[in-house]
């Protein structure tokens, strides 16, 4: 349905009378209401889209905060392991066993709890492998770390990075 608008008089900015109300079709008001509803719905959609996108950003921030906490905790442990007393020269690739004496002193040893038999003199805190980048890997994570290193080596030995999908 086409709206008709009647323009009357000459155009003068101060005395402009562009629409003759008696000639305007009655559904003009309904069109204005529909337009207002459309704008309101668009505003709701925009608000919803912005909220959804901001929720994604918040989740990413929380994920990054968790990663940062994990990195800081790992750095604290690694510093503790490097500063622990040790009577042998630490070599990358070697597994060391972390103990605590009754006095509270912590130390690294190449002797595992099973090497002590039933006479382990101190509290066992964990076992770690010293890596070539001077980081420490808990013994229970060695398999995953070694598999990841092997995968990286395999990818790096291929001529093109596009070959990653062939490896994975």
């Amino acid at each position: 349905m086409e709206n008709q608008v009647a323009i009357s008089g000459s155009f003068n900015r101060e005395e402009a009378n562009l629409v003759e109300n008696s000639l305007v079709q009655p559904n003009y008001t309904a069109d204005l209401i529909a337009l207002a509803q459309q704008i309101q719905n668009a505003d709701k959609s925009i608000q919803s889209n912005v909220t959804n996108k901001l929720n994604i950003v918040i989740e990413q921030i929380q994920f990054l905060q968790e990663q940062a906490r994990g990195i800081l905790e790992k750095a604290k442990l690694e510093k503790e392991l490097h500063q622990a007393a040790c009577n042998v020269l630490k070599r990358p690739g070697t597994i060391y066993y972390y103990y605590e004496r009754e006095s509270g002193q912590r130390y690294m040893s190449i002797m595992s709890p099973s090497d002590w038999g039933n006479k382990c003199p101190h509290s066992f805190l964990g076992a770690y492998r010293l890596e070539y980048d001077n980081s420490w890997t808990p013994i229970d994570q060695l398999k995953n770390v070694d598999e990841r290193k092997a995968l990286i080596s395999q990818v790096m030995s291929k001529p093109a990075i596009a070959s990653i999908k062939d490896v994975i």
Side-chain angles (χ1 to χ4, degrees):
M1 192 180 253
E2 188 177 306
N3 288 332
Q4 294 180 351
V5 177
I7 300 176
S8 64
S10 62
F11 185 76
N12 181 343
R13 286 194 186 265
E14 276 87 43
E15 298 175 9
N17 186 12
L18 298 176
V19 178
E20 178 64 45
N21 288 338
S22 63
L23 297 176
V24 174
Q25 293 183 3
N27 64 352
Y28 180 72
T29 305
D31 289 346
L32 285 178
I33 292 171
L35 182 59
Q37 287 174 339
Q38 186 180 31
I39 291 170
Q40 187 177 17
N41 289 341
D43 287 346
K44 287 179 184 177
S45 292
I46 291 168
Q47 181 68 30
S48 177
N49 287 336
V50 168
T51 300
N52 290 338
K53 289 176 183 178
L54 287 175
N55 279 332
I56 291 170
V57 170
I58 288 168
E59 288 172 4
Q60 290 173 342
I61 289 170
Q62 290 170 339
F63 175 75
L64 291 172
Q65 286 174 331
E66 281 301 311
Q67 281 190 317
R69 268 191 281 281
I71 290 168
L72 292 173
E73 287 173 10
K74 184 172 179 175
K76 180 181 176 185
L77 174 64
E78 288 185 353
K79 181 178 180 181
E80 189 178 304
L81 293 173
H82 277 293
Q83 292 178 346
C86 187
N87 290 333
V88 296
L89 182 64
K90 295 176 192 159
R91 298 187 189 277
T94 305
I95 294 175
Y96 295 89
Y97 301 89
Y98 195 37
Y99 296 95
E100 183 175 13
R101 291 187 168 98
E102 288 180 21
S103 65
Q105 181 195 28
R106 294 180 174 195
Y107 68 95
M108 301 292 284
S109 172
I110 56 172
M111 290 183 65
S112 73
S114 62
D115 292 338
W116 296 98
N118 292 336
K119 299 180 181 181
C120 186
H122 305 110
S123 299
F124 176 66
L125 301 176
Y128 301 88
R129 179 175 69 192
L130 180 61
E131 302 296 340
Y132 288 90
D133 64 355
N134 281 321
S135 65
W136 294 92
T137 301
I139 200 166
D140 62 341
Q141 295 177 9
L142 289 179
K143 182 180 177 190
N144 291 342
V145 169
D146 290 344
E147 286 173 355
R148 192 177 320 127
K149 284 180 181 179
L151 180 65
I152 290 169
S153 272
Q154 190 177 1
V155 168
M156 294 196 56
S157 68
K158 300 263 181 180
I161 297 208
S163 64
I164 290 175
K165 63 183 173 189
D166 297 334
V167 175
I168 298 175

